[in-house]
Amino acid sequence: MELFDYREGVESIRGKSDIEALLTMDKPTVFHLGGRDHSKAVLISTLLHGREPSGFRAFLKEASQVRDYALDIYFSVGNVCAAQIEPYFSHRDIPGKEDFNRVWVDDPKTEEQRIAAAMTELFHTFPLVGVLDIHSYIAKTIPPHGVVPNLDFKTKTLIRNLSPSAFLVDMNLGTLIERMGKKTAAVVVETGINNSPEADTHAYLTLQNFLKATRVIEGTELPFQTKFYHKGIQFKVAEDVSVTWGRQRKQDSRLTLREDVDTLNHTLVEEGRMFGWADSLDVFTTNDSQRSVKDYFTLEQGSIYVRRDVNPNFLNPEEKIMK
């Protein structure tokens, strides 16, 4: 059985609604739109998370038009089966399955990793000059922003056409852009709150700017004065730790985080800021080999404080995301 589908053209989904188009697929699907110059191509990834349809809807809007492209375009629709769980576009991943944006690894062992590896093999046959991966999010206080796997010249040039801010994520998380960024400029744009009209609009504008920046279509946009955040480190709540949110410590939980934790995203959180309550810093984990939880947090009489100035991203009052 094929691990994913490949379609020439977009006739199978042109003119369909998002749900109608989604239901024409039963696995990850790659669409090809031919351009005048087949020696160069771009890849746009959508729906790696099933409840983040803004990029998929931008793709459908683009597919509804008949345009003359300078280069070949490939659209990837990733986590189709998660998006098809009713109500549609409500599940990030398939229950019991891996995060489909953490499986783009060098040595695939699981079913999802093998699917990603097969897709990667195809992507590497494309003469890519740029990759755009479109996402959205649940936190209501985060503005749209970019994510990059490195800070080389081509990657920085590309994201400057797409976003006023960008976070460097070079932590070997198994993301698509980490994988593709080894070959070409690859970026993520987080477009807004899941299933919101604002995210859909931002995704389509981002797609247009990406096509202009890569010379697929004509037009220019003034680049952003992009602010880059780097030296990133990812912390998670340990899998065996119960976590709650509140204005004060809850005794039935090993970890209580402040209920407004998501308001700290994209702000300067200064050393000494209170973050939550616990009896030990073992409630947090990190896979960073050179830095530890104690480099960033301190515990005093059951209260957790930030140990140095930081700019957080993706703090969410949702246990699955924080783990």
Side-chain angles (χ1 to χ4, degrees):
M1 183 180 71
E2 294 293 333
L3 297 177
F4 65 93
D5 281 339
Y6 177 86
R7 301 183 189 180
E8 283 288 347
V10 293
E11 287 73 20
S12 61
I13 50 92
R14 178 174 284 149
K16 287 181 165 56
S17 70
D18 53 1
I19 294 175
E20 290 170 340
L22 180 69
L23 294 178
T24 70
M25 308 171 222
D26 60 6
K27 64 187 71 170
T29 303
V30 179
F31 295 82
H32 175 224
L33 289 170
R36 298 189 303 274
D37 180 0
H38 302 303
S39 69
K40 297 178 182 178
V42 297
L43 171 66
I44 298 99
S45 166
T46 74
L47 214 61
L48 282 180
H49 294 138
R51 66 182 181 192
E52 301 176 16
S54 64
F56 179 58
R57 291 169 179 156
F59 161 48
L60 294 180
K61 188 171 181 178
E62 184 65 26
S64 70
Q65 309 172 66
V66 178
R67 294 216 270 184
D68 181 32
Y69 298 112
L71 313 179
D72 285 356
I73 307 178
Y74 295 91
F75 284 96
S76 174
V77 184
N79 209 337
V80 167
C81 292
Q84 289 177 346
I85 299 172
E86 295 189 38
Y88 299 113
F89 305 117
S90 63
H91 282 65
R92 176 182 170 93
D93 305 298
I94 301 169
K97 299 288 188 179
E98 292 175 275
D99 183 330
F100 200 55
N101 199 27
R102 298 294 185 271
V103 295
W104 304 82
V105 297
D106 293 330
D107 184 20
K109 293 182 172 63
T110 67
E111 177 186 359
E112 287 79 18
Q113 290 173 2
R114 287 191 287 272
I115 294 171
M119 296 177 73
T120 299
E121 185 176 355
L122 173 67
F123 296 160
H124 282 170
T125 68
F126 304 156
L128 294 174
V129 296
V131 176
L132 170 63
D133 185 18
I134 303 177
H135 286 259
S136 57
Y137 43 79
I138 63 170
K140 294 179 171 57
T141 58
I142 300 178
H145 60 279
V147 178
V148 295
N150 57 63
L151 292 174
D152 65 22
F153 177 77
K154 289 183 178 180
T155 301
K156 290 174 72 173
T157 299
L158 179 56
I159 198 64
R160 281 183 173 128
N161 284 276
L162 306 177
S163 178
S165 62
F167 288 78
L168 172 64
V169 176
D170 56 351
M171 296 176 281
N172 296 316
L173 299 178
T175 65
L176 172 66
I177 63 160
E178 287 174 321
R179 187 77 168 159
M180 300 308 299
K182 298 175 183 179
K183 296 286 187 179
T184 189
V187 303
V188 164
V189 173
E190 300 275 358
T191 58
I193 299 171
N194 294 346
N195 287 292
S196 69
E198 293 80 8
D200 293 347
T201 297
H202 195 86
Y204 184 71
L205 292 175
T206 298
L207 173 59
Q208 299 310 302
N209 288 342
F210 174 74
L211 296 178
K212 293 173 185 176
T214 51
R215 305 292 187 264
V216 176
I217 61 175
E218 293 183 357
T220 58
E221 294 290 331
L222 290 175
F224 291 98
Q225 297 295 317
T226 303
K227 184 174 183 179
F228 290 92
Y229 298 87
H230 49 92
K231 296 184 179 178
I233 180 170
Q234 184 184 49
F235 295 103
K236 293 184 177 182
V237 175
E239 282 292 338
D240 63 343
V241 170
S242 58
V243 55
T244 56
W245 287 262
R247 296 183 180 180
Q248 59 187 9
R249 184 168 188 175
K250 298 183 180 180
Q251 297 302 321
D252 59 347
S253 177
R254 285 182 60 190
L255 171 64
T256 304
L257 295 176
R258 13 181 318 173
E259 65 181 6
D260 64 345
V261 67
D262 60 333
T263 66
L264 304 180
N265 289 311
H266 294 215
T267 67
L268 176 62
V269 178
E270 296 180 334
E271 176 186 354
R273 191 82 172 268
M274 206 275 290
F275 196 72
W277 300 266
D279 290 327
S280 167
L281 291 180
D282 291 341
V283 294
F284 297 130
T285 64
T286 179
N287 60 2
D288 193 288
S289 61
Q290 298 178 332
R291 295 169 292 178
S292 71
V293 172
K294 292 181 180 180
D295 290 328
Y296 286 81
F297 296 99
T298 185
L299 187 67
E300 298 179 16
Q301 297 181 333
S303 296
I304 303 169
Y305 296 92
V306 176
R307 194 167 189 167
R308 61 173 67 184
D309 294 355
V310 293
N311 287 94
N313 190 28
F314 283 121
L315 295 175
N316 284 288
E318 182 175 323
E319 184 168 356
K320 183 178 179 180
I321 300 297
M322 296 293 278
K323 289 186 175 184

Coordinates of all heavy atoms in Angstrom, one line a residue, residues 8 45 77 96 138-139 175 189 198 215 224 233:
E8 N -1.1 14.9 -10.1 CA -0.8 15.9 -11.0 C -2.0 16.8 -11.2 O -3.1 16.4 -11.5 CB -0.4 15.3 -12.4 CG 1.0 14.7 -12.4 CD 2.1 15.7 -12.4 OE1 1.8 16.9 -12.6 OE2 3.2 15.4 -12.2
S45 N 3.8 23.2 2.5 CA 3.3 22.2 3.3 C 2.1 22.7 4.1 O 2.2 23.8 4.7 CB 4.4 21.7 4.3 OG 3.8 21.0 5.4
V77 N -0.4 18.1 1.6 CA -1.5 18.1 2.6 C -1.2 16.9 3.5 O -1.3 15.8 3.1 CB -2.9 17.9 1.9 CG1 -4.0 18.0 3.0 CG2 -3.1 19.0 0.9
G96 N -3.5 8.5 19.8 CA -2.7 7.4 19.9 C -1.5 7.3 18.9 O -0.6 6.5 19.0
I138 N -3.4 27.5 19.1 CA -4.6 27.7 20.0 C -4.4 28.8 20.9 O -5.4 29.4 21.4 CB -4.9 26.4 20.8 CG1 -3.7 26.0 21.7 CG2 -5.2 25.2 19.9 CD1 -4.0 24.9 22.7
A139 N -3.2 29.3 21.2 CA -3.0 30.4 22.2 C -3.6 31.7 21.6 O -3.2 32.1 20.5 CB -1.6 30.5 22.6
T175 N 11.1 18.1 13.0 CA 10.1 18.9 12.2 C 10.4 18.8 10.8 O 11.6 18.5 10.4 CB 10.0 20.3 12.7 OG1 11.3 20.9 12.4 CG2 9.7 20.4 14.2
V189 N 5.5 29.6 8.9 CA 4.7 30.8 9.4 C 3.5 30.3 10.1 O 2.7 29.6 9.6 CB 4.3 31.7 8.2 CG1 3.4 32.8 8.7 CG2 5.5 32.3 7.5
E198 N -9.1 35.3 10.6 CA -7.9 36.0 10.5 C -6.7 35.1 10.1 O -5.9 35.5 9.3 CB -7.6 36.7 11.9 CG -8.6 37.7 12.3 CD -9.9 37.2 12.8 OE1 -10.0 36.0 13.1 OE2 -10.9 38.0 13.0
R215 N 9.9 34.0 -6.7 CA 9.8 34.4 -8.1 C 8.9 33.4 -8.9 O 9.0 33.2 -10.1 CB 11.2 34.4 -8.8 CG 12.1 35.4 -8.1 CD 11.7 36.8 -8.3 NE 12.7 37.7 -7.8 CZ 12.7 38.3 -6.6 NH1 11.7 38.0 -5.8 NH2 13.6 39.1 -6.3
F224 N 10.1 42.8 5.7 CA 9.9 43.2 7.1 C 11.3 43.4 7.7 O 12.3 42.9 7.3 CB 9.2 42.0 7.9 CG 7.8 41.8 7.6 CD1 7.4 40.8 6.7 CD2 6.8 42.6 8.1 CE1 6.1 40.5 6.4 CE2 5.5 42.4 7.8 CZ 5.1 41.3 6.9
I233 N 15.5 27.1 23.7 CA 15.6 25.8 24.4 C 14.1 25.4 24.7 O 13.3 26.3 25.0 CB 16.4 25.9 25.7 CG1 16.4 24.6 26.5 CG2 15.9 27.0 26.6 CD1 17.4 24.5 27.6

